[in-house]
Amino acid sequence: MSQLEERGGAPERKNQTQSKLGLWVQSIFFLCVFIAILFIPAGRLDWLAGWAFLGLFVLAVGIIAIWARRHDPELMEERQTASRAENVKRWDRVIMAVYTVLLLLMLILAGVDAGRLGWSDIPLWLRILGWLGLGVAFGIVWWVMAENTYLSEMVRIQEERGHQVVTSGPYQYVRHPMYVGVIIAILSVPLALGSWWALVPGVLIVFLFILRTALEDRTLMEELPGYKQYAEQVRYRLAPGIW
């Protein structure tokens, strides 16, 4: 290797190291915020359901992120930078902002209810169902990410990446399987944590994602070549036989 190649490789390695360090800092910061959102409203640190949920979430997200970073780094890059793209739909920015507020409210209510005041009395079998639902939801999310390299966090056509219609895997059954996983997860979290009150913002999130599905589907029909033909073959957006 020439000295020029060695000098050229050094800045690249330095940038990669800085990128990894920045990612670790962001992850630790996010984890601290997550802990605060759950346990400050709960008013105690011995809330076992809260720690179990936190552990499952970190484990699932970590596994999916490590897998995606090794097998599809372009997907990870897209999901990390999509919100800064110029062609993100304005209505989607509004929807995601409302979603963030409702998600925070759901977790805070779960902490206050199940962790501190004990307003709700959810049967054990429903709590178990909630934990199983979370496992199913994370499985669906991984499956979708494994099949769709264009799975952005925001609604936009990725022309710079040669955006194409994906028809394999879960996309054989519904047109928006990622949202199926999100909806299952949102409805499962309040049950797993033991809070009926947290279901109120959870249900609102479900309706919000149904709206997002309809708007995104219309966008893809109008702007993504081949999507109309795909929609003729896969008729349902979220629920086979229903919608």
Side-chain angles (χ1 to χ4, degrees), residues 60-61 63-69 71-80 137-153 161 166 168-171 177-178:
V61 171
I63 291 174
I64 291 173
I66 291 172
W67 179 91
R69 195 163 281 281
H71 293 84
D72 196 347
E74 289 187 0
L75 170 61
M76 290 298 294
E77 178 70 18
E78 167 62 27
R79 293 187 66 80
Q80 290 171 357
F138 285 127
I140 291 174
V141 169
W142 175 82
W143 191 16
V144 174
M145 291 184 71
E147 294 292 336
N148 187 2
T149 188
Y150 307 108
L151 190 69
S152 180
E153 286 194 343
R161 297 184 62 208
V166 175
S168 58
Y171 290 90
M178 182 65 169

Side-chain angles (χ1 to χ4, degrees), residues 40-148:
I40 290 178
R44 58 193 178 96
L45 291 175
D46 60 344
W47 183 27
L48 295 181
W51 286 113
F53 172 65
L54 182 66
L56 177 61
F57 180 83
V58 171
L59 178 64
V61 171
I63 291 174
I64 291 173
I66 291 172
W67 179 91
R69 195 163 281 281
R70 289 181 178 178
H71 293 84
D72 196 347
E74 289 187 0
L75 170 61
M76 290 298 294
E77 178 70 18
E78 167 62 27
R79 293 187 66 80
Q80 290 171 357
T81 61
S83 62
R84 300 194 294 270
E86 295 182 357
N87 65 339
V88 173
K89 301 301 179 183
R90 183 175 301 176
W91 52 260
D92 196 45
R93 294 189 186 278
V94 174
I95 285 177
M96 293 307 290
V98 175
Y99 162 70
T100 300
V101 172
L102 289 174
L103 181 62
L104 291 174
L105 181 60
M106 184 180 75
L107 295 175
I108 290 171
L109 279 175
V112 172
D113 179 5
R116 183 189 294 261
L117 300 177
W119 291 329
S120 300
D121 184 18
I122 295 184
L124 178 60
W125 70 270
L126 274 178
R127 294 192 180 198
I128 294 174
L129 184 63
W131 290 109
L132 292 175
L134 286 173
V136 170
F138 285 127
I140 291 174
V141 169
W142 175 82
W143 191 16
V144 174
M145 291 184 71
E147 294 292 336
N148 187 2

Side-chain angles (χ1 to χ4, degrees), residues 213-234:
T213 299
L215 293 174
E216 180 174 346
D217 203 69
R218 185 180 68 184
T219 298
L220 294 174
M221 287 279 194
E222 295 173 352
E223 300 182 21
L224 184 61
Y227 191 83
K228 285 185 178 180
Q229 292 78 2
Y230 164 66
E232 292 174 357
Q233 298 175 352
V234 179

Side-chain angles (χ1 to χ4, degrees), residues 9-24:
E12 182 177 352
R13 288 194 297 270
K14 183 178 179 181
N15 290 336
Q16 290 176 351
T17 301
Q18 290 176 343
S19 177
K20 290 180 180 178
L21 180 60
L23 183 61
W24 274 106

